[in-house]
Amino acid sequence: MLLLAESIPKLMAQMPSAKSKNPYLRNISAAAVAAGDEAEAQALHDVLMTHLGTLTSNAERKAVYLAVGASPSLAIKRKVLEWAVSGELKMQDFFYPIGSVSQSSPGGLALAWAFYQEKFDELKDWLAKASPSLMDAAVVYSVAGFATAEKADEIEAFFTVPSAKDPAVTEPKLPQSNRKIMQTVEGIR
């Protein structure tokens, strides 16, 4: 696998123009990141993160964002999640690495959902003036792989709070995203 880590930079250098929508980066990145042991996973992660800075095409950067969380290492997955919300990415792209973690494995999905819950208040503040579609994407990318009624109930409960007028009644924690959250919960059920 370390040989693959060494070959990725060479392959990327041979790709057509950086402005092209090159499918090779996406395919190789996802396959490479998902394989190997801890050391190999770290080496591949480092290569992708280093070469991410050289990419000028949004499509190629997005391909890396969607692959970088596929590592078998939970520690690297956590690092990817922290990076996604660090402010280093454009706000419009931050949810792609979250999706790469959640879609990588059952452990990645559980980690992404736990991370979303942990960072909820920070995300809510950060995205307060942004389009509600960004919060929608963060929610969907954090939970869409679940497939049990129990998990749907947990997610639904997380996104509701007691009403200020009547504590026996609940209301949405994210009113602008409530429709998307309920659609996602129904899809999980």
Side-chain angles (χ1 to χ4, degrees), residues 10-142:
K10 293 175 188 172
L11 180 68
M12 291 174 75
Q14 295 174 14
M15 289 182 182
S17 163
K19 294 187 181 207
S20 71
K21 293 184 178 179
N22 192 315
Y24 302 113
L25 179 62
R26 179 178 187 186
N27 294 335
I28 292 170
S29 297
V33 175
D37 63 20
E38 187 82 23
E40 294 165 337
Q42 185 63 56
L44 288 166
H45 173 79
D46 292 347
V47 166
L48 283 174
M49 296 305 288
T50 297
H51 288 283
L52 180 61
T54 68
L55 301 175
T56 58
S57 162
N58 287 336
E60 290 174 340
R61 279 194 302 272
K62 182 179 172 184
V64 173
Y65 299 155
L66 289 170
V68 73
S71 169
S73 165
L74 287 177
I76 293 173
K77 289 178 189 303
R78 175 68 190 207
K79 188 189 300 187
V80 168
L81 292 170
E82 293 288 351
W83 171 68
V85 299
S86 69
E88 290 181 42
L89 298 172
K90 292 179 185 177
M91 187 181 283
Q92 70 213 32
D93 294 332
F94 86 96
F95 54 87
Y96 293 123
I98 295 170
S100 75
V101 170
S102 71
Q103 296 168 16
S104 67
S105 67
L109 178 58
L111 181 63
W113 172 228
F115 182 83
Y116 179 90
Q117 292 173 88
E118 173 189 331
K119 300 290 185 180
F120 175 76
D121 290 330
E122 293 170 42
L123 285 170
K124 187 176 176 186
D125 291 344
W126 185 45
L127 298 172
K129 294 182 180 175
S131 168
S133 65
L134 294 178
M135 182 61 87
D136 293 354
V139 171
V140 170
Y141 275 65
S142 298

Side-chain angles (χ1 to χ4, degrees), residues 131-174:
S131 168
S133 65
L134 294 178
M135 182 61 87
D136 293 354
V139 171
V140 170
Y141 275 65
S142 298
V143 304
F146 290 117
T148 65
E150 177 182 283
K151 196 52 91 169
D153 292 343
E154 175 190 327
I155 295 163
E156 186 173 25
F158 177 80
F159 287 108
T160 58
V161 294
S163 170
K165 295 178 183 177
D166 182 359
V169 175
T170 61
E171 55 188 40
K173 195 183 282 189
L174 294 171

